Amino acid sequence: MASWEVLLAFALATLTFAAFPGPAILYTAAQTLVRGRRAGFMAVLGIHLGCYVHVFAAVFGLSAMLKHVPEAYAALKIAGALYLIWLGIGMIRAKLVNGALPDIERKSARRAFIDSIIVELTNPKVAIFFIAFLPQFVDPAASLPVWAQFLILGVIVNCAFSLADIVTVLLASRIASGMKQSARAQAAFRWTGGTILAGLGLRLALERN
């Protein structure tokens, strides 16, 4: 592995990225507000597992294709953006049935898990992040193979990001539980969560590569 100085820089950079309120934190907050704490945790798990695909892609050099083939990057980005917008609209349009909670909460945890995996897999910026960030802390001269260093560092980054997402779920669920669970409050949560997801989708679609 790299020297202790390099690893310390890696740790500080990872913690900084994890604590910064980026798209994943906003996404898990939206899922928690609309679907509840359990669904929020399942969203975190879905993002965590989906992120490993990007880690392994970086390990085996597959992510480089997105960097050097603009068409593949653009196609994946648009697909991910459209899916986020579709999820946001779905949250906003959810109806109340006989004064009960929205229909989306009935299978919310499983749905949040599946949605989160898809969202993570269709976000090419995650793949680009790993191939841009991890090589800075890999030592080709070390006794540990380069691919193993990529894998270890990628797992550490993923776990740090997931820890920040878990804290977000706990905070968002506390905010939600502190508010009266009325139809008006649920509508506010749906509009807030849906707007966040749709906004993330628009940002991904319009953001320059």
Side-chain angles (χ1 to χ4, degrees):
M1 292 290 285
S3 65
W4 285 108
E5 292 81 3
V6 174
L7 292 178
L8 178 60
F10 166 76
L12 292 175
T14 299
L15 291 176
T16 300
F17 279 120
F20 188 79
I25 287 180
L26 294 175
Y27 175 85
T28 52
Q31 290 282 3
T32 305
L33 288 174
V34 177
R35 291 173 166 166
R37 185 169 62 178
R38 184 167 182 269
F41 284 133
M42 292 303 290
V44 173
L45 179 60
I47 292 176
H48 184 79
L49 295 179
C51 190
Y52 280 123
V53 174
H54 293 298
V55 172
F56 281 107
V59 168
F60 295 108
L62 299 179
S63 297
M65 180 188 70
L66 294 177
K67 187 174 183 180
H68 299 293
V69 183
E71 294 80 7
Y73 180 93
L76 190 60
K77 184 178 77 167
I78 294 301
L82 290 176
Y83 191 71
L84 274 170
I85 294 171
W86 179 74
L87 288 178
I89 294 174
M91 281 187 176
I92 293 173
R93 295 184 61 189
K95 304 281 188 177
L96 288 175
V97 180
N98 297 326
L101 298 181
D103 287 338
I104 56 174
E105 293 195 23
R106 297 186 177 181
K107 297 181 180 179
S108 59
R110 180 169 39 171
R111 184 67 188 178
F113 175 71
I114 296 173
D115 287 346
S116 301
I117 291 179
I118 296 174
V119 166
E120 185 70 7
L121 292 179
T122 55
N123 186 355
K125 289 192 174 294
V126 178
I128 298 300
F129 168 79
F130 278 110
I131 64 172
F133 180 65
L134 296 184
Q136 302 178 55
F137 307 100
V138 171
D139 183 6
S143 58
L144 199 63
V146 170
W147 68 265
Q149 296 182 57
F150 262 98
L151 182 60
I152 293 172
L153 295 176
V155 170
I156 293 174
V157 170
N158 194 16
C159 290
F161 285 5
S162 294
L163 180 60
D165 292 340
I166 289 173
V167 173
T168 300
V169 170
L170 293 174
L171 293 175
S173 64
R174 187 158 190 173
I175 292 173
S177 64
M179 297 180 66
K180 185 178 179 181
Q181 296 299 298
S182 63
R184 181 174 297 179
Q186 287 297 321
F189 288 151
R190 294 201 316 276
W191 274 93
T192 301
T195 301
I196 290 174
L197 295 190
L200 289 173
L202 287 173
R203 176 188 172 187
L204 180 60
L206 299 177
E207 196 172 22
R208 293 185 178 182
N209 298 344

